[in-house]
Amino acid sequence: MVKKAACMGFGIVGTGVAEMLAAGKVCLRTESEEIPVELKYILDVREFPDHPLGDKVIHDIDIILNDPEVYVVTECIGGKTIAYDFVKRCLKAGKHVCTCNKEMIADRGLELLALAKENNVMLLFEASVGGGIPLLRPLRTCLDGNDFIEIRGIINGTTNYILNEMLTKGTAFADALAEAQALGYAEKNPAADVEGIDACRKICILADLAYGFNVPTEIVSTEGITNITVEDTKAAASLGYAVKLLGRTLRGEDGKVYAYVAPHFVPNSNVLAGINGVMNAVSIIGDYVNEVVLAGPGAGRRPTASAVVGDIIDTVRLADGKAYPSWGEFRPEEWGDIDNLKSRRYVAFKGNASVPAQGEFDGVSYVITDSIDNKALSALFEGAEIIASYRILD
Amino acid sequence: MVKKAACMGFGIVGTGVAEMLAAGKVCLRTESEEIPVELKYILDVREFPDHPLGDKVIHDIDIILNDPEVYVVTECIGGKTIAYDFVKRCLKAGKHVCTCNKEMIADRGLELLALAKENNVMLLFEASVGGGIPLLRPLRTCLDGNDFIEIRGIINGTTNYILNEMLTKGTAFADALAEAQALGYAEKNPAADVEGIDACRKICILADLAYGFNVPTEIVSTEGITNITVEDTKAAASLGYAVKLLGRTLRGEDGKVYAYVAPHFVPNSNVLAGINGVMNAVSIIGDYVNEVVLAGPGAGRRPTASAVVGDIIDTVRLADGKAYPSWGEFRPEEWGDIDNLKSRRYVAFKGNASVPAQGEFDGVSYVITDSIDNKALSALFEGAEIIASYRILD
């Protein structure tokens, strides 16, 4: 049976979510049926007359609240004023809500989750931390048997980009910030990013979930990157470290839960030191799992929409009790023969190939080919003896 | 209400699962209640008279099947003969099953999942691919709105360890294998690992879930690492690549689904090139999320048990419909003041500190301290001016 969705907020992420819904990409597939979720409304204060989805735009939240067909509502408005009010009203109206709003969840999550439960609906927020990276759900499902020793991560891409520019190009903080703004990585008012406020909200949500109690943002020590100098990044590099803004929450030796945001010297041998540009990465250390690292795009229209949509599909799965993993019978018509799969290849060979050798190792010639299939590979080396052949990962 | 579990198989992973259950670590915590899962039986052919859990050991599957108290059964026997028979009987008896058995799921998953559905119970298998890494559940929940362009991964730690030894120490394959066996990383009969069979099973499970149809292991082109020479790894390194055994499943340009296992030349700039030792890492490339990388321990008693236990808890959550994320009110008694959190520090300073400078950058002295709290930090630099201070991540 088809479900209907309404999108609140048609900004960067909201556009991505609405597009995925409109493209028919939001669908719970079970062994016996498909349950598609279709876009019914887009709520925004603005008009979008030239947008292909412009005819879905409405301005009155009551249309959503009063439409019994609306099964799930996404919230990509941001902030904790209008968004908070609208989400409360949706939950009270018995609508499931999926949000990417870290500020609202960090500051009002405790209350809103209780309200969702009271009204027997889901409030999911995977996209609020780490953008497209699967993070909150794995933490509370796959890793749920662990006592969490620590969660540490690069959870703000803007600051990570700026720090990387400072380190690799010697650009001063102010110039690197201006560059990030020009590229659209930083907002005109960059305070939430560069002062660590965004990272603070995210580490609070991780701490809430990992340790089971509400950590108010205002008690979390939060230091941004505004005081970091190029000299500091150079000193760090000479000593074998990268300077990274980390959010950390951990169980201290005293048994207490700590959470804070601050720039750190991270040893180059640590995987977090190698996370550059706008990438995010979070390391979760548990008493049984040891350490897992989840990395990917921490922001952006399509990755963040991917996470919101994952929540929509999971809402259908969980609320409708169709939680079984499954797949269907083999489909020969969809299966590809490996001989047809093209790759660039490294080929070491003796004798005469139809391509000139590009060099040799230990007296054996080699070639790195264009992207070719196995038939073309055989043809190229028909007159030669292949000593070694490897596909190259692009 | 307490749930009861039975563990089938008391080998490496089974021991870890039983220990977690016995330690009271398996518990679904919701806002309003805690549902612990307790260990009732351990099924194994052997006796364990000296093991603390030895009194739980039974030898007759019927005891499990006929005990209405047994809510969930874990299967860590391995293989697809006895394990397959026992799992079928458990599902038919209405018991939920959580397994780490990749061979059984790759070869019999289609049938067993249908049987689970028919009997209205869960069959979960997160631990079957990537050990402790959250992988299968994130793929089918958080990332479910994506069309999967490719999944590529280092999904066998034994071969990854051997390749790394060959590359970094110039050890020949046979010697590196013997070393891996001596360290317990490779089995006495290493065929399943070094011939790529283990990786083949895992990439089949990933392909099944990503593309929605059953991919039989026997049609998947599978090449192991037995033909790789030290010269190949050296040639790769000179050209800027690492040799890695990859499992790959992807949608080709022809729209077909491909899956295979083969050694690849992986560019050093690719995150997979830096995954060394027995670590596993899987890169998932989707049309919306772009690329996420999930990395961690792909095997081992405690990490794999962590994944099985995550499945047990999720079984309770899903089967009992308690899917709401939640956390409780702030707990001041559990909260730690950041001033008390010890770290090693990098401190750049001018003037006289109570510790001698360890060097200087641009005329400014620096010290890397022992692990100290903020009070100790202030005391150390009481007579000095701190120019920069960073916590160091250990």
Side-chain angles (χ1 to χ4, degrees):
Chain A
M1 211 194 78
V2 175
K3 310 275 186 189
K4 300 285 183 180
C7 295
M8 301 196 298
F10 201 50
I12 292 176
V13 178
T15 309
V17 174
E19 280 174 9
M20 287 183 84
L21 284 160
K25 292 186 66 85
V26 188
C27 181
L28 177 68
R29 290 180 180 81
T30 73
E31 205 177 316
S32 49
E33 63 179 328
E34 299 201 345
I35 306 176
V37 183
E38 291 177 359
L39 178 64
K40 186 157 185 181
Y41 304 116
I42 295 166
L43 180 76
D44 202 285
V45 287
R46 298 162 293 177
E47 291 285 354
F48 297 86
D50 302 327
H51 194 283
L53 298 174
D55 61 326
K56 306 275 189 198
V57 174
I58 58 169
H59 309 293
D60 181 359
I61 177 79
D62 284 329
I63 296 173
I64 293 171
L65 299 176
N66 295 329
D67 187 338
E69 248 197 357
V70 174
Y71 172 84
V72 61
V73 181
T74 62
E75 185 277 301
C76 304
I77 299 169
K80 57 187 176 192
T81 54
I82 297 167
Y84 167 67
D85 177 50
F86 284 5
V87 166
K88 268 203 304 192
R89 290 166 71 183
C90 287
L91 295 173
K92 284 181 184 167
K95 315 293 185 193
H96 303 291
V97 173
C98 304
T99 179
C100 63
N101 187 334
K102 56 220 159 196
E103 184 178 358
M104 180 182 72
I105 294 297
D107 285 333
R108 303 277 182 261
L110 181 65
E111 174 200 345
L112 291 173
L113 288 166
L115 187 63
K117 189 169 182 190
E118 201 178 294
N119 288 280
N120 205 29
V121 289
M122 311 286 302
L123 170 59
L124 299 178
F125 45 93
E126 178 65 55
S128 65
V129 187
I133 307 170
L135 183 54
L136 304 185
R137 185 175 284 104
L139 181 71
R140 289 319 310 180
T141 54
C142 304
L143 301 172
D144 211 2
N146 287 268
D147 286 336
F148 295 107
I149 295 165
E150 176 168 345
I151 300 175
R152 48 168 75 159
I154 294 168
I155 47 180
N156 180 277
T158 307
T159 48
N160 201 46
Y161 173 85
I162 291 171
L163 289 175
N164 199 44
E165 292 297 295
M166 290 172 70
L167 174 64
T168 58
K169 301 184 187 157
T171 315
F173 168 74
D175 298 331
L177 170 59
E179 201 180 298
Q181 285 172 318
L183 287 165
Y185 295 157
E187 305 198 30
K188 274 186 194 164
N189 179 351
D193 288 325
V194 301
E195 291 173 11
I197 299 165
D198 176 78
C200 169
R201 290 169 184 150
K202 293 168 176 169
I203 202 66
C204 283
I205 296 172
L206 287 167
D208 293 338
L209 288 169
Y211 296 110
F213 65 88
N214 195 56
V215 174
T217 51
E218 60 271 20
I219 64 166
V220 170
S221 167
T222 301
E223 189 187 333
I225 65 165
T226 52
N227 293 326
I228 299 176
T229 63
V230 170
E231 287 66 36
D232 292 344
T233 67
K234 280 186 189 161
S238 330
L239 295 166
Y241 298 100
V243 179
K244 296 289 183 189
L245 183 68
L246 298 184
R248 295 177 78 184
T249 182
L250 56 101
R251 182 78 75 180
E253 287 170 15
D254 53 7
K256 307 266 188 195
V257 170
Y258 291 82
Y260 70 101
V261 173
H264 283 71
F265 274 27
V266 177
N268 287 334
S269 58
N270 188 295
V271 64
L272 295 181
I275 302 295
N276 292 320
V278 293
M279 285 270 287
N280 280 199
V282 175
S283 158
I284 302 173
I285 303 168
D287 61 343
Y288 267 76
V289 80
N290 194 6
E291 180 173 12
V292 297
V293 177
L294 313 176
R301 183 170 63 90
R302 290 169 67 101
T304 310
S306 159
V308 175
V309 160
D311 277 354
I312 298 175
I313 299 174
D314 212 31
T315 296
V316 181
R317 182 185 289 114
L318 296 170
D320 283 19
K322 297 185 195 304
Y324 305 94
S326 73
W327 57 81
E329 296 281 353
F330 179 58
R331 295 185 203 133
E333 72 282 6
E334 277 200 50
W335 175 251
D337 187 318
I338 189 71
D339 285 341
N340 301 330
L341 184 68
K342 292 181 183 177
S343 294
R344 292 196 304 137
R345 321 279 181 130
Y346 166 86
V347 183
F349 65 99
K350 287 181 178 166
N352 292 315
S354 342
V355 279
Q358 293 166 3
E360 63 176 50
F361 290 108
D362 301 327
V364 179
S365 305
Y366 77 85
V367 162
I368 291 179
T369 72
D370 292 337
S371 186
I372 54 176
D373 63 18
N374 283 350
K375 199 173 157 188
L377 180 72
S378 299
L380 274 186
F381 295 92
E382 209 181 344
E385 182 196 355
I386 292 179
I387 306 295
S389 166
Y390 291 85
R391 290 182 188 260
I392 294 175
L393 192 73
D394 284 314
Chain B
M1 211 194 77
V2 175
K3 310 275 185 189
K4 299 285 184 180
C7 295
M8 301 196 299
F10 201 49
I12 292 176
V13 178
T15 309
V17 174
E19 281 174 8
M20 286 183 84
L21 283 160
K25 292 187 67 85
V26 189
C27 181
L28 177 68
R29 290 180 180 81
T30 73
E31 203 178 318
S32 48
E33 63 179 329
E34 299 201 344
I35 306 177
V37 183
E38 291 178 359
L39 177 65
K40 185 156 187 183
Y41 304 116
I42 295 166
L43 181 76
D44 202 286
V45 288
R46 299 163 292 176
E47 291 285 356
F48 297 86
D50 301 327
H51 194 283
L53 299 174
D55 62 325
K56 306 276 189 196
V57 174
I58 57 168
H59 311 293
D60 181 359
I61 176 81
D62 284 329
I63 295 172
I64 293 171
L65 300 176
N66 295 328
D67 186 339
E69 248 198 357
V70 174
Y71 173 84
V72 60
V73 181
T74 62
E75 186 278 300
C76 303
I77 299 168
K80 57 187 175 192
T81 54
I82 297 167
Y84 167 67
D85 177 51
F86 283 6
V87 166
K88 268 204 303 192
R89 291 165 72 182
C90 287
L91 295 174
K92 284 181 184 167
K95 314 292 186 195
H96 303 290
V97 174
C98 303
T99 178
C100 62
N101 187 333
K102 56 220 157 194
E103 185 178 359
M104 180 182 73
I105 294 296
D107 285 334
R108 303 277 182 262
L110 181 65
E111 173 199 344
L112 291 173
L113 288 166
L115 187 64
K117 188 170 184 190
E118 200 177 296
N119 288 280
N120 204 28
V121 289
M122 312 287 301
L123 170 58
L124 298 178
F125 45 93
E126 177 66 55
S128 65
V129 186
I133 307 171
L135 183 54
L136 305 185
R137 186 175 283 104
L139 181 71
R140 289 320 311 179
T141 53
C142 304
L143 302 171
D144 211 1
N146 287 268
D147 285 337
F148 295 106
I149 294 165
E150 176 169 344
I151 300 175
R152 49 168 73 161
I154 295 168
I155 48 182
N156 181 277
T158 306
T159 49
N160 201 46
Y161 173 84
I162 291 171
L163 289 175
N164 199 44
E165 292 296 295
M166 291 172 70
L167 174 65
T168 57
K169 299 184 188 156
T171 315
F173 168 74
D175 298 331
L177 170 59
E179 200 180 297
Q181 286 172 317
L183 287 166
Y185 295 157
E187 306 198 28
K188 274 186 193 165
N189 179 351
D193 287 325
V194 299
E195 290 173 12
I197 299 165
D198 176 77
C200 169
R201 290 169 184 150
K202 292 169 177 170
I203 202 66
C204 283
I205 296 172
L206 287 168
D208 294 338
L209 287 170
Y211 296 110
F213 66 88
N214 195 55
V215 174
T217 50
E218 59 272 20
I219 66 165
V220 170
S221 168
T222 301
E223 190 188 334
I225 65 165
T226 52
N227 294 324
I228 299 176
T229 63
V230 170
E231 287 66 37
D232 292 345
T233 66
K234 280 187 189 160
S238 330
L239 296 166
Y241 298 100
V243 180
K244 294 290 182 188
L245 183 68
L246 298 185
R248 294 178 78 184
T249 183
L250 56 103
R251 181 79 75 179
E253 286 170 17
D254 54 6
K256 307 267 189 193
V257 170
Y258 292 83
Y260 71 101
V261 174
H264 283 72
F265 274 27
V266 177
N268 288 334
S269 58
N270 187 295
V271 62
L272 295 180
I275 301 296
N276 293 320
V278 293
M279 284 271 287
N280 280 199
V282 175
S283 157
I284 302 174
I285 303 169
D287 62 343
Y288 268 76
V289 78
N290 194 6
E291 180 175 13
V292 297
V293 177
L294 313 177
R301 183 170 63 89
R302 288 168 68 101
T304 310
S306 158
V308 175
V309 159
D311 278 354
I312 298 175
I313 299 174
D314 212 31
T315 296
V316 181
R317 182 185 287 115
L318 295 170
D320 283 19
K322 296 185 196 305
Y324 305 94
S326 72
W327 58 79
E329 296 282 354
F330 179 59
R331 296 187 203 132
E333 72 282 8
E334 277 201 49
W335 176 251
D337 187 317
I338 190 70
D339 285 340
N340 300 330
L341 185 67
K342 292 181 183 178
S343 294
R344 291 195 304 137
R345 322 278 180 131
Y346 166 87
V347 182
F349 65 99
K350 287 182 179 165
N352 292 316
S354 344
V355 279
Q358 294 166 1
E360 64 175 49
F361 291 107
D362 301 326
V364 178
S365 304
Y366 77 84
V367 163
I368 291 179
T369 71
D370 293 336
S371 186
I372 53 175
D373 63 18
N374 282 349
K375 199 173 158 190
L377 180 72
S378 299
L380 274 187
F381 295 93
E382 209 182 343
E385 182 196 354
I386 293 180
I387 307 295
S389 166
Y390 292 85
R391 289 181 188 261
I392 295 175
L393 192 73
D394 284 314

